[in-house]
Amino acid sequence: VDECSNNSGVAMEICGDNSRCINTNGSYYCNCEDGFKLPKNPGNFTVDQPGRCRDINECRTFPGICGPNAFCSNTISNFTCTCEQGFVSSTGLTVFHPSHNVTCTDVCEIDETICGNGTCHQEASGHHCKCSAGFTNYGKKTSRCTEVDCGVFKDVNNQIKKFHVVEDHVKHLSESCRKLKESKDPTELNGEGLLKSLLTIIDQVLSTGFLNDNRKVSTFLDLVEQTLKLIGPFIKKPGTKISTSHAEMEMLVDTGSAIPKGLKTLSSKQAKLDIKMEEAAGNPSSYPGFTIVSLLSYSNLEESAGFFSGMEKTENQSFKMNSKVVTVSVSNRDTKHLKEPVNITLFHLDQ
């Protein structure tokens, strides 16, 4: 008689869950499947003997089974290993078993460039980067340190010494940039507040005739672009969309260790931007842990006389821009050689 199967030869579960039945001459016995055991009797058994096969928690039974600087996770009938925070797998496997011969190594020792212009330090929660003077990782401790350039605010200050309406707001941005450059903990900067100051500057400048020469227009546009780059890392994911009396802006924000991918479209009433996030992020070797894309449209900047100063015109000739002026800003610091095209569509004002 085969106690392990019925008359039709179909296996019977007389031994219980997570076990197997072995038929013998005139008898049978049970044992637990791999990864399971009886609480008190690790050997063979029959249905007459009390007991139930239970999962073996290898992580508790064999402390250190995954090796140094690795974390063990128990699963039903098995277990997995992963490197602890601040350590990376020597083979590239993120989930592994001891048989894979993986060593978890301090990330600071493996990649000397991981912090960019900063030094790498290891702590219980993982590695963190301490930035050199004049560099920052925007409060994201595990991200690379990049240079902070506040020069644009000095240029603007020279332009607006007599333009007191926005002087306080520019000083606010300039001081915030200086703090970012010097602060050991820049997370205290208020991105929403900085964005409000920038939009106030735009509204007040465009409501006057201040931009009456091309130098002022150029400096103004440079100020907007650099400020968007300064503000972006402090805007919460996924970004923001806002309109004022003289500006319309959409900003996309992505954060994390992995570079975002895929085509994104930003739009305003008079313009559209199509860009792949990989192009906005830039070179993976210098990725700072965030990707920012901004499209900002100005309500009446195309009417500024500054665009045409220095241009000679004949009698009865005039110049006019047939689209709104826009600023496109990305966190990628090297946009001279993009792998993929970035499409900016400007809608005609007059058809």
Side-chain angles (χ1 to χ4, degrees):
V1 177
D2 185 353
E3 291 86 355
C4 297
S5 62
N6 60 20
N7 294 332
S8 301
V10 179
M12 299 174 63
E13 298 181 355
I14 63 173
C15 294
D17 295 336
N18 307 314
S19 63
R20 49 187 165 237
C21 180
I22 295 89
N23 186 60
T24 63
N25 188 17
S27 187
Y28 77 98
Y29 64 89
C30 306
N31 59 29
C32 295
E33 294 179 348
D34 294 341
F36 297 87
K37 69 176 183 178
L38 291 175
K40 295 183 179 180
N41 178 19
N44 299 329
F45 63 95
T46 65
V47 292
D48 298 328
Q49 298 169 307
R52 183 166 58 90
C53 293
R54 296 180 180 178
D55 175 54
I56 299 173
N57 188 331
E58 292 86 354
C59 300
R60 290 184 180 178
T61 307
F62 309 105
I65 190 174
C66 291
N69 308 314
F71 179 76
C72 181
S73 300
N74 184 62
T75 61
I76 299 299
S77 81
N78 213 328
F79 69 98
T80 59
C81 303
T82 54
C83 290
E84 294 177 349
Q85 288 287 332
F87 295 85
V88 294
S89 166
S90 58
T91 65
L93 290 174
T94 55
V95 180
F96 55 90
H97 274 206
S99 61
H100 294 147
N101 296 319
V102 172
T103 300
C104 293
T105 308
D106 187 340
V107 69
C108 296
E109 297 177 4
I110 288 185
D111 186 359
E112 295 181 354
T113 66
I114 191 170
C115 287
N117 291 280
T119 55
C120 186
H121 300 270
Q122 192 61 259
E123 56 186 16
S125 60
H127 84 281
H128 70 276
C129 298
K130 184 177 181 181
C131 298
S132 304
F135 297 83
T136 184
N137 55 11
Y138 298 90
K140 299 170 176 57
K141 293 186 177 181
T142 60
S143 296
R144 286 180 173 85
C145 302
T146 55
E147 185 177 10
V148 180
D149 183 7
C150 301
V152 63
F153 298 106
K154 293 181 180 179
D155 293 339
V156 174
N157 281 327
N158 293 334
Q159 291 280 334
I160 64 166
K161 285 181 178 179
K162 296 182 180 179
F163 195 60
H164 64 278
V165 179
V166 298
E167 188 171 2
D168 290 342
H169 295 288
V170 173
K171 285 182 177 179
H172 178 215
L173 295 176
S174 179
E175 182 66 15
S176 298
C177 188
R178 185 190 65 79
K179 286 183 178 179
L180 176 62
K181 194 171 185 177
E182 300 175 356
S183 176
K184 295 181 180 180
D185 184 19
T187 54
E188 62 193 27
L189 291 183
N190 182 354
E192 299 293 340
L194 295 176
L195 180 57
K196 184 177 179 180
S197 290
L198 174 63
L199 294 174
T200 299
I201 290 173
I202 294 173
D203 282 349
Q204 294 185 351
V205 167
L206 294 185
S207 64
T208 69
F210 177 67
L211 300 179
N212 53 11
D213 64 60
N214 54 14
R215 172 66 188 278
K216 289 180 180 179
V217 171
S218 177
T219 302
F220 170 74
L221 292 174
D222 194 22
L223 166 70
V224 173
E225 181 180 357
Q226 296 305 318
T227 303
L228 288 173
K229 291 184 177 183
L230 170 70
I231 293 171
F234 298 104
I235 300 297
K236 294 180 180 180
K237 184 178 178 178
T240 185
K241 192 167 187 177
I242 188 170
S243 297
T244 65
S245 59
H246 287 81
E248 185 180 1
M249 191 204 75
E250 182 175 6
M251 176 184 286
L252 292 184
V253 178
D254 191 282
T255 58
S257 58
I259 292 179
K261 297 181 179 181
L263 182 68
K264 295 292 184 180
T265 298
L266 287 74
S267 61
S268 65
K269 293 178 182 178
Q270 298 293 336
K272 185 178 72 166
L273 168 67
D274 296 297
I275 184 172
K276 286 191 174 181
M277 292 299 281
E278 300 93 318
E279 299 303 322
N283 192 333
S285 65
S286 58
Y287 184 59
F290 59 84
T291 303
I292 314 295
V293 186
S294 301
L295 172 67
L296 194 153
S297 299
Y298 307 94
S299 66
N300 62 343
L301 185 53
E302 79 280 0
E303 301 172 1
S304 172
F307 281 110
F308 309 113
S309 62
M311 296 177 62
E312 296 182 1
K313 56 184 178 181
T314 61
E315 187 177 356
N316 299 324
Q317 185 182 40
S318 62
F319 299 115
K320 179 181 179 181
M321 297 184 66
N322 198 27
S323 69
K324 295 296 181 183
V325 180
V326 302
T327 289
V328 174
S329 175
V330 294
S331 51
N332 183 354
R333 289 173 173 256
D334 183 12
T335 55
K336 293 180 180 180
H337 305 287
L338 298 176
K339 295 180 180 179
E340 298 286 342
V342 175
N343 296 321
I344 304 172
T345 304
L346 302 175
F347 304 140
H348 287 168
L349 299 178
D350 295 329
Q351 300 299 325

